[in-house]
Amino acid sequence: MTAPQDSRPKKTDPAAGADGPRSRWHPAAVMARWTAWVPIRSLGRRHRKRILQHLMTLGERDRYLRFGYAARDEQIEKYVAGLDFTRDEVLGIFNRRLQLIAVAHLAYAPAPQIKGRPAMAEFGVSVAQSARGRGFGGRLFERSALHARNRGIDTLFIHALSENAPMLSIARKAGAKVERDGSESEAWLRLPPDSVSSHVDEALERHMAEWDFQFKRHMRTVGDILDGVAEVKAKLSGKGREK
């Protein structure tokens, strides 16, 4: 299947309102964005083990939808080992226990897929069973679109099985054009050009997510210390009763 040359939707800006473009710094837009904020952190080489652990927890059906085939453990291991963090962008959402509960892979092609057009970026995402229904897939798509836009990417692309309703729903809600060809579907979302606002937004998202991660790590350390103190007290109390 090839991308339509002239029928793809016009570039859209997620900040646009029903009555036309709206600045992302408009008070209503800022309030809506930050009250529903989700800490999405950029992942690197040091996170390979966490990414692998997340993907390994996916059931057979989820692996089939994520990769387009029933990926075996060794195939997932090969996929994670081959992640190129210098070229692509990998994003994740951590829970309070610092476990990855959602991971998105934004893959940048080394060359334009369509002659005369900028290279596209392909989006893929997985969400842990326990974290579904909270809009994490959609938020990761929005953040990926922002990152691609700031890198001068013209189009965000999704290749998914036609039965992968959640993924295609994310694409449609973002305004992407979805084309189905039997058991497979492709979605194309035209992105607006980058701006000062888009770069500021991404920088704020990145710094806030880093702060959130460090806070969670600090709280986990404090919790471990308190648990250790409680365990020591329990042992000492038990010895005291024995005497």
Side-chain angles (χ1 to χ4, degrees):
M1 184 185 296
T2 58
Q5 295 294 312
D6 301 314
S7 60
R8 292 189 298 172
K10 295 181 179 180
K11 296 182 180 181
T12 58
D13 189 337
D19 299 324
R22 172 186 289 178
S23 169
R24 290 179 67 84
W25 297 107
H26 185 281
V30 171
M31 180 63 68
R33 193 163 77 251
W34 291 109
T35 52
W37 180 72
V38 174
I40 297 175
R41 195 166 188 258
S42 182
L43 306 179
R45 294 185 183 90
R46 66 185 183 279
H47 297 111
R48 283 191 199 272
K49 183 177 179 180
R50 293 176 186 265
I51 296 170
L52 179 61
Q53 290 173 339
H54 163 74
L55 293 174
M56 286 295 194
T57 64
L58 298 178
E60 183 178 346
R61 173 67 176 173
D62 293 330
R63 294 183 183 193
Y64 173 66
L65 293 177
R66 170 61 182 87
F67 296 101
Y69 59 92
R72 301 188 302 274
D73 288 354
E74 55 269 26
Q75 291 173 312
I76 292 179
E77 290 173 354
K78 183 177 180 180
Y79 162 77
V80 174
L83 288 172
D84 186 345
F85 294 98
T86 60
R87 184 194 66 194
D88 299 342
E89 180 73 359
V90 183
L91 301 167
I93 298 175
F94 291 87
N95 63 12
R96 294 180 181 178
R97 295 185 296 277
L98 298 185
Q99 298 170 328
L100 270 176
I101 55 176
V103 175
H105 182 192
L106 188 62
Y108 291 97
Q113 295 90 337
I114 302 176
K115 187 176 181 180
R117 291 185 178 273
M120 293 176 282
E122 183 172 359
F123 174 81
V125 67
S126 57
V127 180
Q129 180 70 40
S130 61
R132 292 176 191 167
R134 297 156 67 179
F136 288 160
R139 297 308 299 269
L140 283 165
F141 184 82
E142 292 173 4
R143 176 64 184 278
S144 295
L146 179 62
H147 186 273
R149 172 185 176 186
N150 286 340
R151 286 189 60 170
I153 297 298
D154 176 77
T155 305
L156 199 59
F157 168 69
I158 292 176
H159 180 267
L161 296 172
S162 297
E163 59 191 283
N164 193 346
M167 174 67 85
L168 297 178
S169 176
I170 289 172
R172 288 192 178 95
K173 286 181 180 178
K177 179 179 178 60
V178 178
E179 292 190 348
R180 178 170 179 171
D181 184 12
S183 63
E184 298 183 347
S185 294
E186 292 182 343
W188 311 82
L189 178 66
R190 298 292 303 279
L191 301 175
D194 64 324
S195 63
V196 173
S197 177
S198 68
H199 284 279
V200 170
D201 280 347
E202 187 175 15
L204 283 174
E205 289 272 1
R206 183 172 61 252
H207 290 302
M208 288 288 290
E210 180 62 27
W211 179 88
D212 176 84
F213 181 84
Q214 296 301 332
F215 176 76
K216 288 175 178 175
R217 187 167 67 174
H218 174 72
M219 294 305 296
R220 188 181 68 169
T221 300
V222 171
D224 291 342
I225 293 173
L226 293 177
D227 289 342
V229 171
E231 184 177 351
V232 171
K233 285 184 176 180
K235 289 181 179 179
L236 293 175
S237 177
K239 291 180 178 180
R241 286 196 297 269
E242 289 176 0
K243 292 180 180 179

